[in-house]
Structures are given as structure tokens and as C-alpha cells.
Amino acid sequence: MEEIFVNRVAQSALTTLNLEELLHPGERVVYDIKENLFHGLMLREKDFREFVKTHDWAQYDGKNVAIICSADAIVPTWAYMLLASKLQNHAHRYVFGNLEALEQELFHEAIAALDAEEYRDAKVVVKGCGAVPVPTYAYVAIMQKLLPVVSSVMYGEPCSTVPLYKRPKG
């Protein structure tokens, strides 16, 4: 007699949520304002304004930009604001901070745009590993988004989950 194997995972009512699929696919780049510094020490307004006026901002079209200054220098706040004004019509998203800050903002944006109602009363498995590293921030943020609507949340893969939350009965 031949044994029949049943794929109980495929037959379950689990909904898998893969956070890495929510992310904007655009390239991540760093704009380091240190390249605009006079003698690596300070920003000269006249020179910087000329650079901003003549720079090819189209190269940032659709990209995600982290704006930093890697030098220990005097950079006035308005300089970052001026960069933002030029990136506004080109970059998908820009932030002041490193690539980690950029990823956090991209996850924040993606989770905020997620319609939690699609998960109403669902048993959700938040996928735990994949090709793209997902920061812990995103896992905490998705819990905040899901807990008011789901019946349960698990972490991992549908075949091997860690239970995290189950809505109380009643």
C-alpha cells in the first residue's frame, strides 16, 4: 500500500507576510556632502550654491538617497535643506543619515502604506529570513500594524513557526 503524504502547510489558513517584498526596489545611494567642503573643513555658501545649480540631479531619478557628511566639518543646516530641495523632484526617497537610516525610512513608508484590513482575522506568519536583511525595527513596526486586526501572529516559515500572539477569545 502506497503512503499518501498530505501537505498540511499548503492546506492551512496561514497568510505569509514577507517584509522584504514591501520595500521599494530603487537603488540605494549615499550623497556625502564632504565632497563639497572647502579644504575638507567647511562649506562655502557661494561655491556650494554654484555646485547645486550646475549638478546633474537627474542621476538620482527613482533612487533612494542617504545624505551624510563623513568629515568632521562645519556644515550649516540649510545646506542639507538645499540638497533636499534638489532631490525632491528626482529621488524616490531621501533622508539625512546613513544607509541604515534610509532602510528604516523605507520600511516605515512601506509598512505605513500597508492596508491592515487585508489581514483582518487572519493567522499571519511574518517571514523570518530571506535574501534581503530586514532590520528588527521593521518586525516591531509590523506587529504594531497587525495586532489590532489579526487573530494570530507567528514568526518564521509556515512549516516551522514561533507563535507570538493570539487574540484572546471573547
Side-chain angles (χ1 to χ4, degrees):
M1 183 161 133
E2 190 176 317
E3 283 188 60
I4 298 174
F5 291 98
V6 177
N7 185 341
R8 293 186 314 180
V9 172
Q11 293 177 342
S12 74
L14 297 177
T15 302
T16 301
L17 176 59
N18 186 348
L19 291 175
E20 70 182 60
E21 291 175 356
L22 301 178
L23 272 182
H24 185 266
E27 183 182 347
R28 278 87 166 127
V29 296
V30 174
Y31 182 90
D32 192 346
I33 204 168
K34 89 172 183 184
E35 304 303 322
N36 302 108
L37 298 177
F38 179 70
H39 294 299
L41 297 172
M42 65 180 180
L43 197 71
R44 289 176 43 177
E45 182 176 357
K46 182 179 178 189
D47 297 343
F48 186 61
R49 285 190 180 276
E50 182 60 28
F51 165 79
V52 167
K53 189 170 140 185
T54 60
H55 186 67
D56 176 21
W57 296 102
Q59 67 182 297
Y60 301 100
D61 285 350
K63 295 181 180 176
N64 299 291
V65 183
I67 305 168
I68 65 165
C69 182
S70 63
D72 186 18
I74 300 166
V75 179
T77 303
W78 62 260
Y80 297 108
M81 296 170 70
L82 189 56
L83 288 175
S85 74
K86 294 301 181 178
L87 289 168
Q88 178 66 30
N89 293 325
H90 296 283
H92 169 260
R93 176 70 57 227
Y94 55 88
V95 300
F96 173 75
N98 59 19
L99 288 172
E100 186 178 322
L102 177 61
E103 283 304 308
Q104 183 165 328
E105 178 60 26
L106 291 171
F107 272 110
H108 175 77
E109 176 184 4
I111 291 169
L114 190 70
D115 182 7
E117 284 302 316
E118 291 181 22
Y119 299 93
R120 174 139 325 262
D121 300 324
K123 295 176 181 175
V124 178
V125 177
V126 178
K127 190 169 165 78
C129 59
V132 176
V134 176
T136 304
Y137 159 82
Y139 290 106
V140 173
I142 199 64
M143 288 298 282
Q144 187 173 22
K145 185 85 172 195
L146 293 176
L147 289 180
V149 296
V150 298
S151 69
S152 67
V153 177
M154 294 158 276
Y155 172 82
E157 299 293 327
C159 61
S160 175
T161 60
V162 176
L164 302 173
Y165 167 80
K166 188 169 186 165
R167 183 187 309 140
K169 295 185 182 198

